[in-house]
Amino acid sequence: MGNGFQMRDRFAGGAQYIGGRLRPGTSGRHQEVVNPATGETVYRYELAGTDEVDAAVAAAREAFPGWSGATPAERSELLHRFAAVLAARAEDFAYAESLQCGKPVKLSTEFDVPGTVDNTAFFAGAARHLEGKSAGEYSGDHTSYVRREPLGVVGSIAPWNYPLQMAAWKILPAVAAGNTVVLKPAEITPLTSLMFAQAATEAGIPDGVINIVSGAGRDAGEHLVGHPDVVMTSFTGSTAVGRRVAEIAAATVKRLHLELGGKAPFLVFDDADLDAAVNGAVAGALINTGQDCTAATRAYVQRPLYDAFVAGVAGLMETVRLGDPFDPSTDLGPLISRQQRDRVAGFVERARAYATVVTGGEAPGGDLADGAYYRPTLITGAAQDSEIVTSEIFGPVLVVLPFDTDDEGIRLANDTPYGLAASAWSRDLYRANRATRELRAGCVWINDHIPIISEMPHGGYKASGFGKDMSSYSFDEYTQVKHVMYDNTAVAAKDWHRTVFGDR
């Protein structure tokens, strides 16, 4: 895949997109965007400071009356154009996403980019279907109905693991509902978020509806969350940072949407299709080099299948091809940075003291030594309360533990502070249905792990946060529900007035 453009040329105006144009930051501090496959810098820019956040919020606030006043059909038409522009630029988006993240190009071209185009098309249609409760005379003397109204300026913060898709998840439901947005992408992966906003402008979405501020979390991020003109914050990231976001948002009584960490269980009952479970575990654990909040991280396998499952997963992991993300045959790219690779390696090295590393557990050398690569890793023999089982690693590491009874398997799967996603594997309808009821997670897959679709919601339980991305359920996050009530009697002196003055 050719790059089609040079990052330095494309973003020569700066990495802030405010009011429909690029501009530089003014924080006085610079950030490098690094290709994690090679360690090479592909773009360098000045970070946003509080001035850029203020300017972006002002632009969004100025655009809000016009955008929120547009008809659903008008917003829908522009979002359809937006989807078409994204589709036409698919190759550029895939290249930039792989360049800044190290994703294998087959992942960015077959998952990240088409998923984003589809999400845009979905919300183009959903913009015309904001539903409220039907009108009715619930009191007998009044007609009531419900309006769904946009909130105002939404300040969103997206992570580095899926920069393009997370930008879309944050922006699309908000603008489809009539809000305007200021998005802060992760400062190490701003490129596709900037391209996304530029594509929106090309499609005709008015200036100021979508704004991007590329800055550090403690500066630009905290200022955005605490800004008095921002009425809602949507954050995706770690649970620890999510707590800080909640503290800041609470000070100004903002609406809050949090999609936080995960430690997804992969529950294999003894009647499962073993080959399907093995393939699903490897795919679910290694997608995006394991840097996925819903990735399979804890496999609980009923004892009759345990040994065969471990052997099958180990054998399949050893066939996974690490390499240049732009080589179509590469299966697994690098982690986002050497720092993240070293963090993952630290978890594995500490686990050697109490568990067995069956395969992997090392960074490759040779041609890949300059990148942030780490081999697919399978661990067994760990205790349920050990660090490798309880902590979010965010790397290509799967831990397998045995269980005996169905009750035990479900209990172990739920034994986590997180609750974003889970899967259960069984040929038995009743076992599978029980798992869907009792697994405490926002998404439960049966005989699969990872697929997502625009029509269905994504969001968690417990320490994984609250609120939903994607689907029409996301409008619950980005609209205000208003009850409107009309008197039908035309009577000046109402009977209920006697509770305040006079007699019946």
Side-chain angles (χ1 to χ4, degrees):
M1 175 181 288
N3 64 23
F5 54 83
Q6 293 295 323
M7 294 299 164
R8 292 176 181 84
D9 297 335
R10 187 180 187 100
F11 302 118
Q16 320 305 323
Y17 196 76
I18 299 171
R21 57 195 58 85
L22 289 169
R23 56 185 277 183
T26 60
S27 69
R29 294 184 296 113
H30 289 80
Q31 174 69 46
E32 293 182 343
V33 178
V34 176
N35 177 354
T38 63
E40 296 175 346
T41 297
V42 298
Y43 182 60
R44 187 173 186 269
Y45 69 96
E46 189 167 357
L47 289 162
T50 57
D51 287 348
E52 285 70 55
V53 174
D54 290 341
V57 172
R61 187 178 181 185
E62 183 179 353
F64 177 71
W67 184 247
S68 62
T71 66
E74 289 168 338
R75 291 198 294 267
S76 176
E77 181 181 357
L78 289 172
L79 287 169
H80 277 299
R81 292 184 192 172
F82 188 14
V85 172
L86 294 173
R89 304 280 185 274
E91 185 174 351
D92 283 353
F93 275 99
Y95 173 80
E97 195 76 336
S98 289
L99 187 68
Q100 68 180 351
C101 298
K103 294 175 185 284
V105 72
K106 66 179 180 179
L107 180 65
S108 59
T109 56
E110 297 179 29
F111 182 71
D112 296 73
V113 174
T116 300
V117 174
D118 181 74
N119 214 231
T120 307
F122 171 81
F123 279 107
R128 302 185 72 163
H129 296 282
L130 272 173
E131 297 177 352
K133 194 171 184 179
S134 61
E137 288 66 51
Y138 299 100
S139 78
D141 291 336
H142 306 81
T143 295
S144 290
Y145 68 88
V146 170
R147 291 177 57 90
R148 301 288 292 269
E149 297 180 345
L151 301 168
V153 178
V154 178
S156 295
I157 300 176
W160 48 257
N161 57 333
Y162 290 102
L164 177 59
Q165 289 207 82
M166 292 296 100
W169 287 14
K170 298 296 182 195
I171 290 169
L172 292 170
V175 299
N179 301 282
T180 55
V181 176
V182 178
L183 174 78
K184 192 200 87 64
E187 60 267 34
I188 61 175
T189 55
L191 303 181
T192 47
S193 296
L194 292 166
M195 293 167 62
F196 190 76
Q198 289 174 312
T201 298
E202 185 178 342
I205 292 176
D207 293 349
V209 172
I210 299 171
N211 306 274
I212 308 294
V213 288
S214 305
R218 289 195 176 275
D219 301 323
E222 292 198 2
H223 190 64
L224 178 61
V225 174
H227 199 290
D229 291 334
V230 170
V231 299
M232 175 185 166
T233 292
S234 178
F235 170 80
T236 295
S238 72
T239 298
V241 177
R243 292 191 186 100
R244 175 61 180 159
V245 169
E247 290 172 0
I248 299 170
T252 49
V253 198
K254 285 180 172 45
R255 181 175 292 198
L256 189 60
H257 171 208
L258 298 174
E259 198 264 269
L260 307 177
K263 190 70 177 175
F266 187 99
L267 185 60
V268 182
F269 293 106
D270 59 13
D271 66 332
D273 180 325
L274 179 62
D275 288 340
V278 166
N279 281 277
V282 174
L286 301 186
I287 187 170
N288 205 37
T289 318
Q291 299 167 127
D292 187 310
C293 294
T294 63
T297 60
R298 300 177 292 136
Y300 296 98
V301 183
Q302 207 152 23
R303 209 169 292 274
L305 291 185
Y306 177 81
D307 289 340
F309 179 88
V310 169
V313 168
L316 187 53
M317 279 187 170
E318 288 166 3
T319 70
V320 170
R321 298 164 296 185
L322 282 69
D324 177 2
F326 293 102
D327 183 339
S329 67
T330 292
D331 297 321
L332 196 73
L335 290 153
I336 191 64
S337 66
R338 293 177 185 175
Q339 180 182 12
Q340 178 65 11
R341 179 198 62 191
D342 293 345
R343 179 180 178 274
V344 171
F347 277 105
V348 175
E349 291 309 305
R350 290 190 295 275
R352 292 184 190 276
Y354 56 79
T356 300
V357 177
V358 178
T359 190
E362 63 181 2
D367 294 340
L368 303 181
D370 290 335
Y373 290 89
Y374 197 77
R375 294 195 185 282
T377 300
L378 178 65
I379 293 175
T380 61
Q384 175 68 10
D385 61 354
S386 61
E387 179 191 53
I388 202 76
V389 175
T390 60
S391 297
E392 187 175 27
I393 299 168
F394 232 53
V397 179
L398 177 65
V399 184
V400 185
L401 301 92
F403 70 92
D404 291 304
T405 67
D406 290 16
D407 288 348
E408 181 189 16
I410 291 174
R411 177 181 60 79
L412 291 171
N414 284 331
D415 183 22
T416 175
Y418 300 108
L420 188 58
S423 66
W425 298 73
S426 174
R427 291 185 175 98
D428 187 300
L429 175 64
Y430 297 99
R431 262 180 163 172
N433 277 341
R434 180 188 177 188
T436 65
R437 294 192 305 270
E438 296 186 16
L439 288 173
R440 303 293 296 165
C443 176
V444 177
W445 293 284
I446 299 298
N447 296 325
D448 209 342
H449 195 107
I450 286 297
I452 52 175
I453 49 174
S454 298
E455 291 84 355
M456 288 291 114
H458 176 85
Y461 286 22
K462 302 186 290 184
S464 291
F466 47 82
K468 299 299 179 185
D469 290 312
M470 298 197 300
S471 82
S472 59
Y473 290 97
S474 63
F475 286 134
D476 293 342
E477 315 302 318
Y478 297 104
T479 56
Q480 181 67 54
V481 174
K482 177 187 285 185
H483 170 216
V484 177
M485 194 176 207
Y486 284 92
D487 170 61
N488 291 329
T489 67
V491 174
K494 305 288 195 299
D495 185 56
W496 73 267
H497 291 173
R498 67 185 175 80
T499 62
V500 182
F501 58 85
D503 299 319
R504 184 184 293 274

